[in-house]
């Protein structure tokens, strides 16, 4: 194959997207921390599919024109660090082919190298043993092979890229000891390999098809989510409950949880099997809810939106002009925070936060989510509190896109850090003073969480069994125990110090006020710190604790 034209390039993208989607759950499971929030596969699929779907429905013909649409779609849909890096890889590829209708073998090899270079530049402190290593090593070896061997077949180039990516991925545990200890390879690198494998298969005439239906149907497209004015996804799955799920699962509670994201809900339990149906605009959230309870026996997501939106777009072009949005009142600062749980959302609202984007460790917002929130604010300075290390890059990318807005992403990587920073915010103070005070507050907060393990593993010498409760202090698992309260108290013992002044204790949807009060009493007995207890109603984490 001497050239890749626009038609083949589209098929390569579609096949890469499908292969990534088919392997999404496996990639999610490549999680160093055994917590119920492994989301690399989900983030990469949502990111890549957003770009590919834009490319597939565009009128672009040549490779460069298609790559431009793809790059923009990836940029806007990027979620999590892996998603942002993926968007940057394909941004670099686009930059290398933007003026070309078709590409030859050497141009393909050059584009892959440029993708690697652009991705590295986008990361402030690149870490080896990650997706960055995989794309760099694979692209560099592929380029050298193409140039020195005089390769003219594009299939040979992509085949070499896949081969080298596999080799690089297998060596990631040698570069990141934590991967070797847990016995996994880098999840981001695995996701990128899945994309390239799917693209290669399309070039070989064996394009990958999606294992679950994601296309719209005429019947499904007529089903509307009542009260929301929007169409969405018909999401169905059969779930086999884990041991923890068998102990804690409640049909009524799960229906209530699903009702926060959709309607047409069916939830039926038969011993350890649960059948679920829901119409939702956020199927990925429904999937996350199910994953916390057990493993999927069957999963199907059907898009009810695309066809209806196309009809509406045609009608609007013919008969309507969009009404201008009412401009918000201008002010000096606009604050945006990311949080999961109605209680935590209200805590940020009480601290003058204008927009709270729903999300967190279990569901990372996209770059477009941040852009939409920023554009709704009429202010001189936008301050963003990501409250999770995996969300920072998407927030920063939104600021880069909106070059005309003054956007500052605070280094708040936990909920306690974000809350502490917001407490220090002064709407009357200068920007420099606010940033200094908030950064100082963030630096002086110890953050901890209590959650449960979803698999057996070992972390830094600590054996962990599935179903045990874990205490996470900063970025480390410091305790694993069968008893939830003992785990929480062990965490507090490591967090409290003689100079501790304030403890913020936020209990989640799986914890009780009585448990929180017991922990508050423990804090009072073991320190002189003041204790503030809140109902955060957050998922996954029974307790979120901040110590200042």
């Amino acid at each position: 194959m001497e050239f890749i034209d626009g038609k083949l390039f589209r098929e390569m993208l579609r096949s890469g997207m499908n292969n990534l989607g088919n392997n999404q759950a496996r990639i999610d499971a490549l999680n160093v921390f055994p917590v119920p929030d492994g989301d690399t596969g989900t983030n990469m699929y949502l990111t890549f599919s957003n770009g590919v779907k834009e490319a597939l429905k565009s009128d672009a013909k040549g490779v460069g024109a298609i790559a431009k649409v793809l790059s923009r779609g990836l940029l806007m849909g990027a979620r999590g660090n892996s998603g942002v890096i993926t968007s940057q890889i394909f941004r670099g590829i686009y930059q290398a082919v933007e003026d070309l209708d078709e590409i030859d073998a050497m141009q393909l090899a050059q584009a892959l190298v440029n993708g690697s270079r652009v991705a590295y530049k986008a990361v402030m402190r690149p870490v080896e043993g990650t997706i960055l290593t995989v794309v760099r090593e694979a692209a560099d070896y592929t380029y050298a092979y193409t140039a020195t061997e005089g390769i003219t077949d594009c299939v040979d180039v992509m085949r070499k890229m896949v081969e080298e990516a596999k080799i690089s991925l297998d060596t990631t545990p040698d570069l990141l000891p934590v991967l070797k200890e847990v016995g996994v390879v880098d999840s981001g690198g695995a996701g990128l390999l899945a994309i390239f494998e799917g693209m290669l298969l399309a070039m070989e005439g064996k394009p990958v098809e999606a294992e679950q239906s994601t296309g719209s149907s005429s019947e499904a497209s007529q089903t509307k989510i009542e009260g929301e004015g929007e169409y969405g996804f018909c999401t169905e799955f059969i779930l086999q409950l884990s041991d923890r799920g068998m102990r804690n699962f409640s049909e009524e509670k799960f229906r209530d949880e699903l009702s926060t994201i959709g309607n047409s809900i069916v939830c039926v339990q038969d011993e350890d099997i649960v059948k679920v149906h829901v119409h939702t605009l956020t199927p990925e959230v429904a999937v996350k809810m199910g994953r916390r309870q057990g493993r999927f026996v069957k999963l199907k997501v059907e898009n009810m939106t695309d066809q209806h939106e196309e009809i509406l777009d045609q009608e609007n072009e013919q008969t309507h002009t969009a009404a201008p949005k009412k401009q918000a009142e201008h002010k000096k600062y606009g604050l945006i925070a990311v949080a999961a749980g109605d209680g935590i959302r209200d805590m940020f609202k009480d601290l003058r936060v204008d927009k709270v984007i729903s999300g967190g460790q279990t569901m990372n917002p996209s770059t477009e989510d941040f852009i939409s929130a920023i554009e709704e604010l009429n202010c001189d300075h936008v301050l963003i509190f990501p409250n999770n290390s995996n969300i920072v890059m998407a927030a920063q990318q939104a600021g880069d896109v909106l070059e005309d807005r003054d956007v500052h992403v605070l280094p708040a990587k936990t909920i306690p850090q974000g809350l502490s920073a917001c407490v220090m915010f002064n709407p009357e103070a200068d920007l420099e003073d606010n940033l200094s005070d908030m950064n100082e507050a963030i630096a002086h907060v110890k953050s901890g969480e209590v959650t449960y393990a979803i698999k057996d593993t070992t972390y830094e010498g600590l054996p962990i069994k599935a179903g045990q409760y874990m205490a996470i202090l900063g970025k480390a698992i410091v305790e694993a125990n069968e008893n939830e309260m003992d785990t929480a108290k062990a965490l507090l013992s490591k967090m409290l110090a003689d100079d501790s002044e304030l403890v913020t204790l936020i209990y989640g949807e799986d914890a009780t006020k009585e448990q929180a009060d017991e922990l508050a009493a423990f804090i009072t007995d073991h320190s002189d710190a003041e204790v503030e207890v809140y109902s955060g109603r957050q998922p996954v984490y029974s307790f979120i604790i901040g110590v200042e």
Side-chain angles (χ1 to χ4, degrees):
M1 182 184 296
E2 189 175 356
F3 295 101
I4 296 173
D5 60 14
K7 181 179 179 181
L8 176 58
F9 188 52
R10 287 178 189 271
E11 186 65 9
M12 290 166 62
L13 295 176
R14 189 183 72 85
S15 182
M17 174 185 69
N18 289 340
N19 198 47
L20 177 61
N22 293 347
N23 287 278
Q24 177 180 326
R26 176 183 63 82
I27 296 166
D28 275 342
L30 297 173
N31 194 18
V32 172
F33 274 19
V35 296
D37 58 8
D39 55 6
T40 300
T42 299
N43 281 338
M44 291 187 72
Y45 178 71
L46 291 174
T47 299
F48 198 65
S49 63
N50 192 75
V52 173
K53 288 174 182 177
E54 290 295 319
L56 293 180
K57 71 181 183 182
S58 76
D59 296 328
K61 303 299 183 184
V63 171
I66 295 169
K68 180 179 181 179
V69 179
L70 171 72
S71 179
R72 178 66 179 180
L74 292 174
L75 179 75
M76 299 298 284
R79 298 174 187 266
N81 294 342
S82 57
V84 173
I85 293 171
T86 301
S87 75
Q88 292 299 312
I89 291 170
F90 282 89
R91 177 170 174 252
I93 291 174
Y94 156 63
Q95 291 174 350
V97 304
E98 59 180 319
D99 297 324
L100 304 174
D101 288 333
E102 58 182 18
I103 58 176
D104 61 23
M106 181 54 70
Q107 289 165 336
L108 173 59
Q110 290 170 334
L112 292 168
V113 169
N114 200 59
S116 165
R117 301 295 186 265
V118 170
Y120 262 86
K121 290 178 182 178
V123 180
M124 184 174 297
R125 287 183 289 274
V127 176
E128 297 301 334
T130 66
I131 182 176
L132 291 171
T133 304
V134 173
V135 71
R136 174 179 56 79
E137 292 186 340
D140 286 351
Y141 280 120
T142 298
Y143 179 82
Y145 164 76
T146 304
T148 58
E149 300 294 328
I151 302 301
T152 59
D153 189 334
C154 293
V155 177
D156 286 345
V157 175
M158 186 56 73
R159 191 174 289 135
K160 182 66 172 178
M161 184 70 183
V162 169
E163 175 187 325
E164 294 296 339
K166 286 179 179 177
I167 294 171
S168 181
L169 179 64
D170 287 342
T171 62
T172 54
D174 296 328
L175 298 173
L176 275 180
V178 68
L179 295 176
K180 177 171 287 189
E181 182 180 31
V182 177
V184 297
V185 294
D186 177 67
S187 54
L192 185 64
L193 175 60
I195 293 173
F196 287 146
E197 285 178 327
M199 295 175 73
L200 172 61
L201 286 167
M203 297 173 74
E204 294 175 335
K206 300 173 287 186
V208 178
E209 299 299 328
E211 292 178 357
Q212 62 186 46
S213 173
T214 56
S216 59
S217 66
S218 57
E219 180 180 355
S221 65
Q222 302 306 312
T223 306
K224 193 171 184 179
I225 297 181
E226 298 175 5
E228 297 200 21
E230 298 185 63
Y231 292 69
F233 296 81
C234 176
T235 304
E236 298 179 305
F237 53 82
I238 297 175
L239 194 69
Q240 184 172 35
L241 296 176
S242 63
D243 291 342
R244 178 185 172 85
M246 284 292 290
R247 293 195 302 268
N248 299 326
F249 185 81
S250 161
E251 286 185 36
E252 181 178 0
K253 184 176 180 180
F254 199 66
R255 286 193 200 98
D256 290 343
E257 188 175 8
L258 289 169
S259 70
T260 65
I261 62 166
N263 63 14
S264 298
I265 296 167
V266 175
C267 178
V268 179
Q269 179 181 6
D270 182 8
E271 296 184 350
D272 64 337
I273 297 295
V274 178
K275 184 173 183 179
V276 174
H277 172 280
V278 60
H279 290 171
T280 176
L281 299 172
T282 53
E284 65 277 3
V285 178
V287 171
K288 290 285 187 182
M289 291 176 178
R291 188 178 295 135
R292 296 203 303 268
Q293 305 295 337
R295 70 176 184 87
F296 292 109
V297 177
K298 181 179 180 182
L299 173 63
K300 181 176 73 171
V301 180
E302 292 184 341
N303 192 329
M304 304 185 298
T305 304
D306 289 347
Q307 181 178 350
H308 185 74
E309 285 185 347
E310 289 175 7
I311 295 171
L312 289 183
D313 287 343
Q314 294 172 1
E315 293 177 350
N316 286 336
E317 287 176 4
Q318 297 171 359
T319 62
H320 297 290
T321 301
K325 290 184 178 180
K326 184 178 179 180
Q327 184 71 26
E329 180 182 354
H330 181 269
K331 55 183 181 176
K332 186 174 182 178
Y333 295 101
L335 275 59
I336 299 172
V338 180
D342 292 343
I344 296 178
R345 179 199 63 196
D346 293 342
M347 292 170 71
F348 278 107
K349 286 285 190 180
D350 290 342
L351 293 172
R352 303 189 187 92
V353 171
D354 300 282
K355 301 285 181 182
V356 179
I357 298 175
S358 179
Q361 187 68 18
T362 54
M363 189 60 219
N364 300 154
S366 67
T367 298
E368 188 169 18
D369 291 332
F370 284 107
I371 290 174
S372 298
I374 293 169
E375 289 180 334
E376 290 180 18
L377 298 177
N378 181 13
C379 60
D380 298 325
H381 312 291
V382 178
L383 307 178
I384 301 180
F385 307 88
N387 302 325
N388 186 283
S389 60
N390 206 34
I391 296 174
V392 173
M393 288 185 70
Q396 291 173 335
Q397 188 158 268
D400 293 340
V401 171
L402 299 176
E403 297 178 352
D404 59 331
R405 300 297 297 270
D406 185 42
V407 179
H408 300 267
V409 180
L410 278 296
K413 297 180 180 179
T414 67
I415 292 295
Q417 287 181 344
L419 291 170
S420 183
C422 288
V423 168
M424 296 306 297
F425 168 69
N426 181 354
E428 306 301 326
D430 292 337
L431 175 64
E432 292 75 14
D433 291 338
N434 263 322
L435 291 177
S436 177
D437 291 343
M438 289 187 290
N439 282 324
E440 184 177 356
I442 290 170
H444 285 87
V445 178
K446 298 177 186 176
S447 300
E449 298 93 16
V450 175
T451 184
Y452 59 92
I454 60 170
K455 63 182 179 181
D456 293 350
T457 188
T458 300
Y459 179 84
E460 294 187 352
L462 177 67
I464 301 169
K465 299 294 184 182
Q468 283 187 324
Y469 292 96
M470 297 182 299
I472 303 173
L473 177 55
K475 295 183 177 181
I477 301 173
V478 296
E479 178 76 15
N481 196 301
E482 301 290 343
N483 185 281
E484 185 174 28
M485 295 301 288
D486 287 347
T487 304
K489 290 174 182 177
L491 174 61
L492 284 166
S493 296
K494 295 180 183 295
M495 297 181 71
L496 295 171
D498 293 339
D499 59 350
S500 299
E501 297 179 355
L502 174 65
V503 178
T504 302
L505 176 63
I506 307 170
Y507 62 97
E509 61 184 11
D510 292 329
T512 66
K513 179 64 163 57
E514 290 72 24
Q515 288 177 310
D517 289 340
E518 181 180 339
L519 293 180
F522 178 87
I523 295 167
T524 301
D525 290 342
H526 290 79
S527 77
D528 295 326
E530 179 184 351
V531 185
E532 294 181 354
V533 177
Y534 299 92
S535 172
R537 300 193 290 282
Q538 72 271 9
V540 179
Y541 297 98
S542 304
F543 303 102
I544 296 175
I545 302 167
V547 177
E548 302 174 51

